[in-house]
């Protein structure tokens, strides 16, 4: 019975895909609203080009939301350029969702471990970010992205990490983690590499559909 919920027929059912699309779209919009203060602060105090590196999780969710559209409306006559674009978006959806899904949960837990207060929003964020990572890995077997696209996506993650911790535009952390910034930085870079490794592992052994 449980296997039904993992099956291709269930996961690619259009009604389920539309539900997942709407949930992810709503989460993406909420995520950008969540980053509103930091986006404004970056706009006012940093070069404009750094803004794109600020909203990590909602951008990952945006990539996955667009990837769902490819499953809902598969191109009938895909051209090479459009296939490359699709592969890059799907690769970014997978590695970014895994990385930032786990990263956000780890930062919330680490802050709480050191005494930060937890509110209902934190538990909601934990559930939604774990869902981000899980759904990306679950649906990767239905995507077209390959090793080259995953490598490009990993490069984007490492570039994002470099900009975040060089110019101070990383996501806001609990005050309790301010004295652990070096450890957070190392963890963030390591998680980018691990997320790429997880995606490559699934790509290597996924079913071709």
């Amino acid at each position: 019975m449980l296997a039904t919920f993992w099956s291709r027929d269930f996961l690619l059912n259009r009604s389920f895909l539309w539900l997942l699309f709407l949930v992810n779209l709503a989460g993406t919009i909420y995520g950008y609203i969540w980053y509103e203060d930091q986006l404004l602060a970056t706009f006012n105090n940093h070069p404009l080009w750094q803004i794109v590196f600020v909203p990590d999780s909602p951008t990952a969710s945006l990539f996955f939301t667009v990837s769902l559209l490819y499953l809902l409306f598969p191109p009938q006559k895909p051209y090479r350029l459009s296939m490359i674009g699709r592969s890059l978006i799907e690769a970014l959806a997978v590695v970014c969702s895994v990385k930032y899904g786990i990263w956000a949960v780890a930062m919330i837990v680490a802050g709480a471990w050191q005494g930060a207060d937890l509110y209902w929003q934190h538990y909601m964020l934990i559930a939604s970010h774990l869902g981000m990572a899980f759904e990306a890995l679950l649906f990767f077997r239905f995507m077209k992205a390959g090793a080259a696209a995953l490598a490009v996506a990993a490069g984007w993650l490492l570039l994002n990490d470099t900009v975040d911790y060089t110019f101070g535009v990383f996501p806001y952390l609990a005050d309790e983690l301010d004295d652990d910034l070096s450890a957070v930085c190392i963890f963030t870079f390591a998680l980018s590499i691990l997320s790429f490794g997880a995606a490559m592992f699934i790509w290597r052994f996924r079913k071709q559909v």
Side-chain angles (χ1 to χ4, degrees):
M1 181 66 178
L2 186 60
T4 301
F5 298 101
W6 301 87
S7 68
R8 184 180 191 276
D9 289 340
F10 177 79
L11 293 174
L12 295 185
N13 178 274
R14 290 186 64 82
S15 296
F16 181 70
L17 286 175
W18 272 116
L19 176 62
L20 204 59
F21 172 81
L22 293 173
V23 169
N24 278 273
L25 179 61
T28 300
I29 294 171
Y30 178 81
Y32 282 113
I33 294 173
W34 179 274
Y35 272 92
E36 180 181 7
D37 290 344
Q38 188 173 1
L39 286 168
L40 289 173
T42 304
F43 178 81
N44 291 324
N45 300 292
H46 292 261
L48 187 60
W49 63 269
Q50 293 178 15
I51 283 186
V52 70
F53 297 98
V54 172
D56 296 331
S57 293
T59 301
S61 178
L62 177 62
F63 286 133
F64 186 78
T65 303
V66 175
S67 296
L68 290 173
L69 288 177
Y70 285 118
L71 297 178
L72 282 163
F73 305 103
Q76 299 301 311
K77 295 181 179 180
Y79 297 97
R80 179 171 176 79
L81 189 59
S82 65
M83 287 299 297
I84 292 174
R86 174 179 180 175
S87 293
L88 289 174
I89 289 174
E90 290 177 341
L92 286 164
V94 174
V95 297
C96 292
S97 294
V98 172
K99 188 264 183 76
Y100 294 117
I102 296 173
W103 186 91
V105 174
M107 292 305 105
I108 293 172
V109 172
W113 183 265
Q114 297 196 35
D117 293 329
L118 290 184
Y119 302 99
W120 68 267
Q121 293 96 330
H122 293 101
Y123 295 104
M124 179 269 293
L125 289 172
I126 288 173
S128 62
H129 281 80
L130 287 177
M132 278 177 56
F134 178 73
E135 68 182 2
L137 293 174
L138 182 62
F139 275 85
F140 186 30
R141 61 188 170 120
F142 306 123
M143 297 179 181
K144 304 298 183 183
L150 291 174
V152 172
W156 166 257
L157 283 183
L158 293 172
L159 174 62
N160 198 339
D161 296 342
T162 301
V163 172
D164 277 358
Y165 293 94
T166 300
F167 299 101
V169 293
F170 52 85
Y172 290 155
L173 300 169
D175 293 341
E176 289 77 5
L177 295 177
D178 286 346
D179 58 348
D180 298 310
L181 189 56
S182 295
V184 171
C185 177
I186 293 170
F187 173 76
T188 301
F189 274 91
L191 191 55
S192 291
I193 297 170
L194 289 172
S195 299
F196 169 66
M200 284 294 295
F201 179 83
I202 291 182
W203 172 77
R204 176 66 179 81
F205 295 104
R206 71 182 177 181
K207 291 181 179 179
Q208 299 298 316
V209 294

